[in-house]
Amino acid sequence: MRIKRISAAVALAAAGALVISGCAPSGGDEGADDSGLVEGSSITAAWNQAFYSMNGNTSFGNATANNNINYLVLDGFNYYDNTPQLVKNESFGSYELVSEDPLTVKYTVNEDKKWSDGTPIDAADLLLYWAAESRALDTPDFDPAEFTDPDTGEFTDAFPTDVVYFDSGATPTSGLGLVTEQPEIGDDGRSVTITYDEPFVDWELTFATMGEMLPAHIVGKKALGIDDNEEAKKAVLDAIENNDAADLAPISSFWNGGFNFTEMPDDPDLVVASGPYMISDYVADQFVTLTANPEYTGDNSANIEEITIRFIPDPLAAVQALENGEVDIIQPQATADITTALEGIDGITVDTSLGGTYEHVDLQFDQGKNPENIFSNPKVREAFMKVIPRQEIVDTLIKPIIGDAAILRNSQLFVPGAEGYDEAEAGNTSADYAEVDVEGAKALLAESGVTDTSVCILYASNNPRRVNEFALIQASAAQAGFNVTDCGSEEWGGLLGTPGAYDASLFGWQSTSLGVTNSLPTFETGGINNLNFYSNAEVDGIISQLNTEFDEQNKIDLQVEMDRLLWEDFYGVTIFQFPEVTAISDRVTNVESSILAPTVFWNAWDWEVTDAGSKE
């Protein structure tokens, strides 16, 4: 075994958009074609959670487990490498800043781009992306909360059929929510030009990055009952251009849920792809297989014909699978047992670092499971934060892995070591929750007047570290009089944000970009990542300022102030930055993990199978 210790300095400077983080036999080489693809080649990677949606832009589907795969099957205008640096994907298309005032950007898809079923990628796909991600055509004032199933997190069958509602979480103060004017189509139907209502600092990260854009013709076929691909695409285009609510209602409904599946769908249209790979097989709770897309013509063409991603929630089971030669790449949730187990395996390389994911507990400000909606009361929120054993969690579960690098994270917005972190930590009240204060919690709970102290916590029940964290929180909170109950679930990701499903949640947010604004939907009223119904007008005002602020110091100052407000609102607690361990078989080369999602998968098209280290 070779060990590479990766510096955490770059990881600690990362901040940006967030996704929910949880975490088959190999074939030989038969010969490469002109593109570099080796026919018959295959490898297997492991992940800790099963895939369940090809639309990672909904409140239901926004999870790392989905976006790892979507990144490889849906092409787009840019992506981050592992520097991390934003890379323009010019073999897919181009974008140019037409004007700064008003902010105007033109996006053009290259002429030869096709979906895997041979249908050209064009302005219909771009315009559908705008309609969904701006919500400019949504039925005004519609609230979907009462139509969400508390057992699954998906919309129920009672969801109205006559409303236009794209579940992208777009708000009118940021991103494409600021593009209320319909885009202009050009270049023989291959481009759209979008104009922002006001400047937006992270405009380069808002439109059809890799892993996001869905096929308009498939949406049209399924939503409107049209068989012909071109006719279906035209129908979607017409519905958007004419703001036809009668057609937009089923279009938005299918966009929201039509690409959700937990096994290989019978309908091949649902896995139509534009990226270097396409989903070719999926066995429920076991694995997804990706096969090189024959219609892909971009620079990121695959070297390995088939990549299978096995779902192995238990980290030690993932290590065992690596040792047995059943998988070639693992990135399990790191524990002391994991690092010890990996030390005994020959023929692998192990990379360790601090990653861009952080652990935290969020409290439901509204629509919790407790009949008294317990955390709508600020005294109860403060009391519960006082009994979350943050330091014990770090000392018990994280320090054995990375030693002194295991520290409390004391900011909702800044990563330890990043510019602004020290100032934020000094200015917020995180120090009040560094140690457990049972007596203080008891006093607050008594003052609150609540009679039902039950708190049901949602977490990944098949994740050993989360199970241990839950147990520590449960025992500590009981000392103050809280009755912490178990809402753990293997389907925890889809349940996040579901009204009535739980009272607090324990999970990780993983950074997907370096944009200052893209983490803000976690805290903005109605934002896609605002899963706990938090709302503060002053915070919303700061977010609006950050959206249009280009001065670096002003951005930091605004975030420091916002961070202070979040702690004073008793939003919840941050706990630690994830230790990250990636183990790679010697039979695979060019595997280099990134601190940003999709971490180890960011350059899967570059992976190669070698003869060295092959298992017999």
Side-chain angles (χ1 to χ4, degrees), residues 217-444:
H217 66 288
I218 299 301
V219 174
K221 288 173 72 174
K222 308 308 171 186
L224 303 176
I226 300 172
D227 293 331
D228 182 80
N229 287 347
E230 290 300 324
E231 289 182 15
K233 180 196 302 186
K234 180 65 164 55
V236 171
L237 201 61
D238 289 345
I240 296 171
E241 289 188 312
N242 298 325
N243 195 3
D244 182 349
D247 280 352
L248 285 172
I251 286 171
S252 65
S253 178
F254 189 84
W255 187 91
N256 291 338
F259 293 95
N260 297 339
F261 49 88
T262 56
E263 60 185 353
M264 193 65 185
D266 294 333
D267 186 350
D269 282 351
L270 299 184
V271 293
V272 166
S274 57
Y277 285 94
M278 56 189 297
I279 296 174
S280 57
D281 194 13
Y282 182 8
V283 175
D285 298 319
Q286 295 187 39
F287 64 83
V288 161
T289 297
L290 306 179
T291 301
N293 177 2
E295 292 289 346
Y296 181 78
T297 57
D299 290 342
N300 298 329
S301 57
N303 290 329
I304 296 173
E305 185 170 38
E306 187 176 278
I307 297 175
T308 295
I309 301 173
R310 280 186 56 188
F311 309 128
I312 308 179
D314 185 338
L316 284 172
V319 172
Q320 187 65 56
L322 179 68
E323 185 173 18
N324 294 344
E326 298 166 7
V327 301
D328 302 291
I329 302 168
I330 65 172
Q331 197 173 70
Q333 192 168 92
T335 66
D337 290 342
I338 292 300
T339 54
T340 300
L342 288 170
E343 289 174 358
I345 302 177
D346 294 326
I348 66 170
T349 298
V350 179
D351 295 349
T352 63
S353 66
L354 279 179
T357 303
Y358 68 95
E359 192 83 328
H360 63 104
V361 173
D362 288 351
L363 309 180
Q364 297 305 99
F365 280 64
D366 193 13
Q367 303 191 52
K369 185 180 182 69
N370 182 299
E372 294 185 27
N373 200 25
I374 189 170
F375 288 133
S376 63
N377 187 317
K379 289 185 182 297
V380 183
R381 294 199 302 273
E382 183 181 6
F384 196 73
M385 286 169 62
K386 283 182 177 292
V387 293
I388 297 175
R390 300 169 70 216
Q391 191 63 56
E392 184 180 8
I393 289 171
V394 171
D395 291 344
T396 304
L397 302 177
I398 309 303
K399 191 161 287 187
I401 306 170
I402 53 175
D404 291 341
I407 60 172
L408 286 177
R409 170 168 164 152
N410 287 323
S411 171
Q412 294 281 0
L413 295 175
F414 294 97
V415 182
E419 187 177 3
Y421 178 83
D422 291 343
E423 189 179 354
E425 183 181 32
N428 66 33
T429 57
S430 60
D432 295 349
Y433 314 101
E435 301 289 346
V436 169
D437 178 8
V438 171
E439 294 307 314
K442 282 182 177 179
L444 286 164

Side-chain angles (χ1 to χ4, degrees), residues 252 456 539:
S252 65
C456 203
V539 168

